[in-house]
Amino acid sequence: MNGSDVHTDSGRRLGVAEPRQEAPADLRLVPPALAAWAASALALGAPGRWVAAGAMLCACAGLGCLIAVPRIVVRAEPRGLADPAGHADLAGQGSPADPEGQVCPAGRAGPAGRAGPAGQVRPAGRAGPVGPTSSAHPGARAPGPPGSAGLPRRMGARTTAVAAVLLCAAAGGAASGLHSADSRSGPVPGLTESYARVEAEVTVTSDPRRTRPRVQGDHSTPVSLLLDAEVDRLTAPDGTVTELRTPVLVMVAPGKAAALWQRLLPSTGLRITGRLAPPRHEGERIAAVLGTDADEPPLVMSEPSLLQRAAGRLRSGLREATDGLDADARALLPGLVVGDTSRVPPDLHDAFKATDLTHLLAVSGANLSILLFLLIGPPGTASRSERRGLAPRLGISLRMTAVIGGGIALAFVIVCRPEPSVLRAAACGLITLLAIGTGRRRSLIPALAAAVLLLVLYDPWLARNYGFLLSVLATGALLTLAPRWSDALQRRGVPARLAEVLAAAGAAQAVCAPVVVVLASRVSLVAVPCNLLAEFAVAPATVLGFAALAVAPASLPAARVLAEVAGWPVGWIASVARTGAALPGAEVDWPGGWRGAALLAVLTALLVLSARRLARHPWVCSAAALLLVLAVLRPVPLTRLMTGWPPPGWAFALCDVGQGDAMVLAAGEGTGVVVDTGPEPRLVDRCLRDLGITRVPLLLLTHFHADHVRGLPGVLSGREVGAIQTTSLDQPPDQAAFVKRTAAAARVPMVRAAPGERRRTGPLEWEVLWPAVGPPGATAPFHATEEPNDSSVTLLVRSGGLTLLLLGDLEPPAQQGVLRSHPALPRVDVLKVAHHGSGHQDPGLLRSARPRFALISCGTDNPYGHPAARTLEALEAAGAKVLRTDIDGAIAVSGSGAGLRAAGRS
C-alpha cells in the first residue's frame, strides 16, 4: 500500500485537516483487534487444552467486567446528581453532543451558544446552566466537584473496553483452536508420518505457482508446481475411505503434462495419487504435502465454478493482451494488476526485493482504492452534494453507489485471489462503503481495526502471515504517521505533493523494514527513493491494466492497445527497480530474526524522535544525506580507502560465493577475466562490484555444475561481457541448456575451450591444460571420465611474475591426466584447490605444483565436509599456506616473488 491509498480513502491530502471527514483518531477498536490477533497467533499450533482454558478464562473475565459495569457506575456516581423525583441535574447529563457528532469532554461546556440534547443553550466556559439550580427542584442536593459528572461514565467505559479486549482475545483463541484442530483431525497426520502413498480427491484453492530453482550441491532443484488444496476424500493404503476437509499443499514434479497442470483454476476437483509428507515447518496451515508428478494430465473430477472460470478468462485475457510487450512489461503488468507473477523472472523479482517494491506485485489496497476512486471519487465527498466520480455523473444514488462498490470489491477479491493484502484492502473498502451507504461517519483507523478483527476471526491463519502483517502495518502508518510527517515537511517549506509522497513512503518503510529484516536479514537503502519514483507510474499503469483486463474478453485487439499504452509506465517501474537494485549499496546485510528487527525498530524510533532537533541543523542533515549517497554509490576508491578491499595491485580474487566457485583475474582498470560464477547471481555480482569490475572480456565456465554456472546472470548484469567459454562436455544437460539460454538472452557469444589453447589479454596470459588432446583421429577432447567434474577446464595462468593453477573440480583420475599430459608442470605461486578441498586429491599433482598459497572456495557449515582434513594436511605438508572462503571470506592475491601476498577480507 502506498500514499494513493490514503489520498483516495480519506478524500483529502495527507496532512490537510478535514473536520467533516475525519474526527480525532478513534482508537477504541484497536485494542480488541490486537487482542484477537495476538490470541489467534499464540493459539495456532498450541495444545488444545491450553487454548480452551485460555479462551474460557478470557471469556469469563470479560463477561465479569460487563456484569460489573452498572455497579461501578452506580457506586462511582457522585451524590446529589439526581433528586428524589427522578429529575436529572443538568450537571449530570454528561457531555452534550455537537451537531457534527463530536463529544465534548466531561466536565466542560461546549462552545458558547451551542445547544445540549434538550435544546438548552450553554454559555461558554460553564458546565451547567447559569445561576443556582438547587432551587429549581426541591430536595435536590448540591452537585459534586467540577468534573465529577463524567467520572462514572469514564470508569464504565474503561471497564467496557477491558471487557471487549478480553472477549475478543477469547474469540480469537477459540477460532484458532477450532481451525487448528480441524486441520489436524482425520487420518492425514498419521499417514504423513509414515510417508504413505494415498489416493485423494481434492479441491484446488489457489492458482498453480512455480518454485524457484535452487542450487543444492552441484545440481539445481527442478522447477515444480505448487497448489493449495483441500482433501475431500482420502483412500488410505489399506483401502479405508474417509470423507474430510484437510488443507494440503500439492507439489507437482516436472513432467510432460506440466502445461496442463499450470492451467488449473481454483475450485477445480481433482483425483490425485501421490505420497504424503510432513510440512516443512510446524504450525503451518497445511497438514501435509501431497507429492505427485506431471507425467500424466490431471484427472479432473469436477470443473471450476462459474465465477472462477470467469476470473480465469479475465486473467488469461490480460496475459494474451501483454504478449506483444517487451519482456519486463509482459511479466510485470499482470502482476501489478491482478497479482499474476507467473511470468516474472527471478532477476526482476530480486530487483523488486532489493528496492522494497514487491508490494506492487502483491496487489495492495492501492489497486482497489483506484477502482473505487473512479466510481465514487474521494470518500470524504461521497455524501455531499458536490461528490465526484463516475457515479453522480451517471445519476446513481448514494446507496446504490455503495452497493456497486461492494460488488467491485468482491469481484476484486475473486479476480486477484484472496491473498492477505487483497483481503485487508477489500475488508477496509467494504466497511468504508457501508459507512457511506448508511450516512455514518467514515473513520479509517476504526475501519482498519474492524477489518483486522473480522479477518482474523474468519481466518486465524492470517495472524501468522507476514504478508498480512506488512499490509496492516503499512496501512496503519499511512493513516497515523504519514499525515503528521507531511505537515512537518510542509511547515519547513517542502511542496505539498512532494511532502505527501515523502511522508507516505518514509512512514511505510519505517514500520515495515523491521519485519522485512526478519524475513531477509537485510535493509534496503534505496527503498524510499525507488518507491517515490515508481509512485507516479502506479496509478496510470493500474487503470490501463484493469481496462485491458475488462476489454480483453470482448475485443483482444483493443485490449492489446491498452496494454501497449500501459507498458510505458510499467516499463518505467521495472527500470526503477533494476536501476535501484544495480547500485552497489542498494541493500546492506543486517542481523536477522526478531532480535535484528528489534534493533532496527529501536534505531528507527531514535532517528524519528531526534528528527526535529536534527532539522534545526542543516549542516548535520546535509552531511547525513551525503553519507547515505556515498553508502549507496560506494565509489571504488572510497570503498578501498575505508575497507582496504580490494588491496592495491591485486591480480587474482577468489570470491566468497558460498559452496561454489567464482574467480576474477585482473586484466586492467575495471576489467577482469571471470572464471566460474558460483551458485547465486547476487553473490558474484556483489563480488564484482566490490572489485570495480565493469568489463569482462572473457567469462570462462570450467564445467556445467550448478555451483559453478547458476550465478551467470549476476556477471551479465550491467557489465560488458565479450564471450562465454565453456568445456566441451554438456553435462548435466539442464545446466548446459541454462547457460546457452542465458547467453542467448544477453546476446553474448559462446565458444568452446580447445585443448592446449593459449590466450592473452592485458597483463594476463593463460594456457588450457585440460581437457587434453584426444588420441589420434579423435574428434573430441579427452576427459578421462564422462563425469562433469573431470571435464573441468584447467588453466595455467601467468600475470606478471605471478603463476596460478586453477583446477576447477577435477577428480584424481583427471588430475593424474594433467600430470601425464604436462610432465614439466612448473611450480606455481597460487593453487585453486580442486573440488572445494574435497578429500579426492592426487598427491603427485600437489607435489609437482608445490604452491606457496592454496586457496579453497567452500561454504560455511556445508554438508559435504569441505575442505577435508586430509587435504588440508597434505597442502600444509607441501609447504602451502591455506586460505579458505568459509573462514577468510573473499581472498585477494597481490604482488609476486618475495612480495607475494594473499589476504582474506574478513
Side-chain angles (χ1 to χ4, degrees), residues 55 122 154 158 198 231 247 351 377 389 643 700 717 776-777 824 848:
R122 293 187 174 225
R154 288 199 299 271
R158 290 172 183 171
V198 299
V231 178
T643 65
L700 192 147
S717 175
S848 177

Side-chain angles (χ1 to χ4, degrees), residues 591-614:
W594 290 108
R595 291 185 179 180
L599 175 62
L600 181 60
V602 170
L603 293 178
T604 303
L606 291 176
L607 179 62
V608 171
L609 293 175
S610 60
R612 184 173 298 177
R613 293 184 178 180
L614 293 176

Side-chain angles (χ1 to χ4, degrees), residues 12-17 480-496 499-500 503-504 612:
R12 60 184 178 90
R13 289 180 175 269
L14 287 168
V16 179
T480 56
L481 297 179
R484 298 180 182 181
W485 293 7
S486 176
D487 284 342
L489 290 173
Q490 292 181 53
R491 287 195 298 269
R492 286 164 175 78
V494 179
E500 293 166 6
R612 184 173 298 177

Side-chain angles (χ1 to χ4, degrees), residues 807-903:
L807 293 177
D809 275 1
L810 291 185
E811 302 289 350
Q815 294 179 25
Q816 295 167 6
V818 171
L819 273 181
R820 286 194 300 269
S821 302
H822 304 275
L825 185 70
R827 182 181 182 182
V828 299
D829 297 308
V830 177
L831 171 69
K832 201 291 293 183
V833 181
H835 203 177
H836 318 294
S838 76
H840 303 291
Q841 308 289 335
D842 179 59
L845 181 61
L846 296 182
R847 287 194 299 267
S848 177
R850 292 176 295 158
R852 295 172 61 182
F853 289 98
L855 310 184
I856 300 174
S857 179
C858 56
T860 304
D861 298 328
N862 65 83
Y864 312 102
H866 296 162
R870 64 180 179 178
T871 299
L872 297 176
E873 293 171 359
L875 291 169
E876 291 171 353
K881 180 180 179 181
V882 179
L883 289 89
R884 37 196 283 196
T885 56
D886 61 333
I887 294 177
D888 302 298
I891 303 166
V893 178
S894 59
S896 61
L900 181 65
R901 299 286 184 272

Side-chain angles (χ1 to χ4, degrees), residues 468-670:
F468 184 71
L469 174 61
L470 289 169
S471 178
V472 174
L473 286 176
T475 307
L478 294 174
L479 296 177
T480 56
L481 297 179
R484 298 180 182 181
W485 293 7
S486 176
D487 284 342
L489 290 173
Q490 292 181 53
R491 287 195 298 269
R492 286 164 175 78
V494 179
R497 178 59 180 166
L498 180 59
E500 293 166 6
V501 293
L502 277 173
Q509 182 67 16
V511 299
C512 292
V515 181
V516 174
V517 162
V518 176
L519 301 174
S521 301
R522 54 94 186 164
V523 175
S524 175
L525 299 182
V526 298
V528 172
C530 285
N531 273 275
L532 291 176
L533 292 172
E535 166 79 14
F536 303 101
V538 171
T542 302
V543 172
L544 291 169
F546 272 112
L549 176 81
V551 170
S555 174
L556 189 58
R560 284 175 175 159
V561 172
L562 291 169
E564 185 72 28
V565 179
W568 301 339
V570 169
W572 167 256
I573 295 172
S575 299
V576 168
R578 289 192 181 277
T579 303
L583 294 173
E587 50 186 348
V588 295
D589 293 332
W590 193 270
W594 290 108
R595 291 185 179 180
L599 175 62
L600 181 60
V602 170
L603 293 178
T604 303
L606 291 176
L607 179 62
V608 171
L609 293 175
S610 60
R612 184 173 298 177
R613 293 184 178 180
L614 293 176
R616 300 171 186 168
H617 303 84
W619 289 106
V620 176
C621 297
S622 301
L626 178 61
L627 289 176
L628 180 60
V629 171
L630 292 176
V632 171
L633 298 180
R634 290 187 187 177
V636 174
L638 180 62
T639 303
R640 182 174 297 172
L641 178 65
M642 298 293 293
T643 65
W645 182 267
W650 69 276
F652 173 78
L654 182 62
C655 297
D656 182 8
V657 292
Q659 187 67 16
D661 274 4
M663 295 157 276
V664 186
L665 295 158
E669 185 66 28

